[in-house]
Amino acid sequence: MALIVQKYGGTSVGDPDRIRNVAARVVETLDAGNRVAVVVSAMSGETNDLVALAREIGGEEPDPREYDVLVSTGEQKTIALLAMAIHGLGRRARSFTGAQMGMRTDTAHTRARIASIDAKRILSVLDSGAVAVIAGFQGVDDEGNITTLGRGGSDTSAVAVAAALGADHCEIFTDVDGVFTTDPRIVPEACKIDRITYEEMIEMASLGAKVLQIRSVRFAARHHIPIHVRSSFNRNEGTWVLPEDEIMEGLFVSGVTYNRDEAKIRVRGVRDVPGAAARIFGPLSNAGIVVDMIIQNLSQDGTTDVTFTVKKDDYRRALNITKEVGGEIGAEEVGGNETIAKVSIVGLGMKDHAGVASRMFQVLADEGINIQLIATSEIKVSVVIDVAETDRAVKALHAAFIEAGAAEPVRES
Ligand code: ADP
Ligand code: ASP
Ligand code: MG
């Protein structure tokens, strides 16, 4: 008898009919002889509405503890409704909030990290033949305060529950058939990937493919939990996210991603002396601001420019801090803009292929798209461009690297 954790995202539980559809799928899995724990998100749009309400009353940065109390209510609604729908099919089900199921986190409100899960209560429910319906996205700290795991956090809840229960695998049900070579909403030619390694999926998620929260994939890799991403609207086989040794051949470039959630800050005319970068980035790091790409130009006349990107949510704060530091170190000017996008190509096959980056730059040049910043790692190349050109860049790169048959296997063995 297998133990399966299923997670249903917002669209999959978006209205009463869809909740009844989920209940039917859960019962089907139960009838196939499995034990089933279900993790659910808030109904689609609900979390956004709650965040908007929090900002309306609490301002741009609402009190984090109360924000978590508020936004966690979305999932609480769904667990009760899904449990009722399963009862409606004549089966037993019990709902659990994060606190009730023993999902302990640290105290970092709005972006808490999971510390431990007490699986006993859930296991006893499953062993009795009932379904456990668990609220995703939420936990509780050591003092009983409600915490949330950051947007998209139900994916991470699901994988963590799967790890704690020793599940055979974790199914992530969403509104697309799996992980695609790029966002199917932008490129209709995008194709479903049958199998992808944890490593590539971590890169794709961190570079903007929102189909899985990055932390869920890291968690799965660490605990060896296979993830099956699939649609809740059909029975198609989806995408398996697995260790590299279970995937025989990789694509040269597996995916194209984009991220419009970053902003750029430029410090012009910094004296090119030891310690300048530390003076700029120290205060940002002390303020908990994560800096992504960093470019320092070659110095001319003893001064240089430093440009970097941060999350849009941190942009105002980061700009103010950098302006202050810029004044202290005598920089000529500090400015920035929020109208950028980061577009990336990702693929394990790039490890052994030279010339991928230059080909990417040529594709963008042919489109007349200007590159502002570049970053590379073993399995990705990212560029920052004007946000208005995102769709065009993604389409052109997808056409050049994926549709044009660059998909030949490149493994040596
Ligand atoms: P859920 O509410 O089920 O968690 P999300 O909206 O968080 O769903 O994630 C699914 C969405 O991710 C899809 O509708 C799709 O538009 C988007 N997406 C972005 N990049 C990709 C990709 N490479 N593959 C699949 N979906 C992607
Ligand atoms: N409801 C939360 C969100 O919208 C968590 C999730 O859906 O994963 O971000
Ligand atoms: Mg999601």
Side-chain angles (χ1 to χ4, degrees):
M1 185 193 254
L3 197 166
I4 298 174
V5 173
Q6 300 188 325
K7 177 257 174 178
Y8 293 89
T11 321
S12 304
V13 293
D15 61 37
D17 279 342
R18 288 185 171 175
I19 291 176
R20 280 190 281 266
N21 168 55
V22 167
R25 285 198 87 139
V26 171
V27 167
E28 204 178 284
T29 315
L30 207 58
D31 286 348
N34 303 296
R35 289 181 292 166
V36 191
V38 187
V39 174
V40 288
S41 293
M43 295 165 77
S44 58
E46 177 88 19
T47 309
N48 286 348
D49 291 349
L50 291 167
V51 169
L53 263 177
R55 294 214 168 116
E56 194 174 330
I57 305 261
E60 263 315 295
E61 289 187 16
D63 180 83
R65 183 182 182 279
E66 306 314 328
Y67 172 98
D68 279 350
V69 171
L70 180 68
V71 298
S72 62
T73 59
E75 273 71 13
Q76 189 164 337
K77 254 166 89 172
T78 323
I79 52 171
L81 292 169
L82 179 57
M84 290 174 196
I86 296 172
H87 299 163
L89 296 174
R91 301 309 171 92
R92 286 182 299 124
R94 287 192 74 173
S95 66
F96 294 91
T97 64
Q100 286 175 322
M101 69 143 297
M103 170 76 78
R104 281 296 175 92
T105 71
D106 62 14
T107 312
H109 284 292
T110 77
R111 54 188 159 84
R113 298 188 69 84
I114 297 169
S116 64
I117 294 178
D118 175 9
K120 280 197 292 298
R121 191 157 179 201
I122 302 296
L123 278 172
S124 72
V125 171
L126 301 188
D127 289 341
S128 77
V131 178
V133 183
I134 298 164
F137 180 53
Q138 56 177 268
V140 68
D141 72 6
D142 284 343
E143 281 165 22
N145 299 299
I146 295 174
T147 54
T148 61
L149 309 181
R151 297 306 304 269
S154 296
D155 297 331
T156 303
S157 305
V159 174
V161 167
L165 298 179
D168 294 83
H169 65 268
C170 181
E171 286 183 302
I172 304 280
F173 286 91
T174 183
D175 55 4
V176 286
D177 277 5
V179 180
F180 281 69
T181 47
T182 192
D183 189 344
R185 284 190 212 173
I186 293 199
V187 184
E189 292 80 11
C191 24
K192 193 188 76 196
I193 300 171
D194 292 333
R195 294 166 146 237
I196 186 168
T197 62
Y198 291 125
E199 193 183 358
E200 286 168 299
M201 194 62 233
I202 287 169
E203 281 287 5
M204 284 191 54
S206 80
L207 295 170
K210 287 184 179 153
V211 59
L212 286 175
Q213 197 198 38
I214 178 169
R215 285 166 53 192
S216 70
V217 194
R218 288 208 193 105
F219 212 111
R222 213 174 309 126
H223 296 270
H224 311 288
I225 310 283
I227 300 181
H228 185 191
V229 183
R230 56 194 307 201
S231 169
S232 64
F233 303 130
N234 63 46
R235 312 268 144 183
N236 300 345
E237 182 82 0
T239 301
W240 283 92
V241 189
L242 297 165
E244 191 176 346
D245 56 14
E246 289 184 34
I247 297 180
M248 293 314 289
E249 54 186 40
L251 296 182
F252 170 48
V253 168
S254 304
V256 180
T257 60
Y258 64 92
N259 180 355
R260 299 191 182 103
D261 295 333
E262 289 189 13
K264 184 176 85 171
I265 294 178
R266 177 169 179 230
V267 190
R268 213 167 56 75
V270 184
R271 284 204 10 257
D272 196 8
V273 293
R279 287 288 299 276
I280 297 173
F281 294 110
L284 291 168
S285 130
N286 291 342
I289 294 171
V290 176
V291 173
D292 181 21
M293 294 164 85
I294 302 176
I295 305 286
Q296 177 170 330
N297 291 0
L298 272 182
S299 101
Q300 270 187 331
D301 309 327
T303 67
T304 181
D305 295 351
V306 176
T307 308
F308 57 93
T309 62
V310 295
K311 286 212 184 74
K312 256 187 194 156
D313 282 350
D314 291 331
Y315 175 61
R316 286 283 143 209
R317 246 171 6 113
L319 189 61
N320 289 339
I321 292 172
T322 313
K323 280 190 169 155
E324 214 174 292
V325 179
E328 286 164 20
I329 62 174
E332 278 163 31
E333 189 192 344
V334 175
N337 75 64
E338 294 179 88
T339 55
I340 59 160
K342 179 167 72 175
V343 175
S344 313
I345 56 175
V346 179
L348 269 185
M350 286 161 54
K351 273 185 182 170
D352 349 290
H353 274 241
V356 179
S358 64
R359 182 153 161 229
M360 177 182 191
F361 304 152
Q362 190 58 51
V363 169
L364 296 173
D366 293 346
E367 286 290 316
I369 295 172
N370 186 42
I371 299 172
Q372 303 176 16
L373 303 174
I374 298 169
T376 63
S377 79
E378 256 202 323
I379 67 164
K380 70 119 197 276
V381 184
S382 299
V383 297
V384 164
I385 59 171
D386 191 299
V387 69
E389 297 178 320
T390 316
D391 289 16
R392 218 149 48 79
V394 170
K395 283 188 180 127
L397 292 169
H398 191 268
F401 283 101
I402 290 166
E403 289 157 54
E408 81 268 23
V410 294
R411 297 287 151 72
E412 281 173 9
S413 51

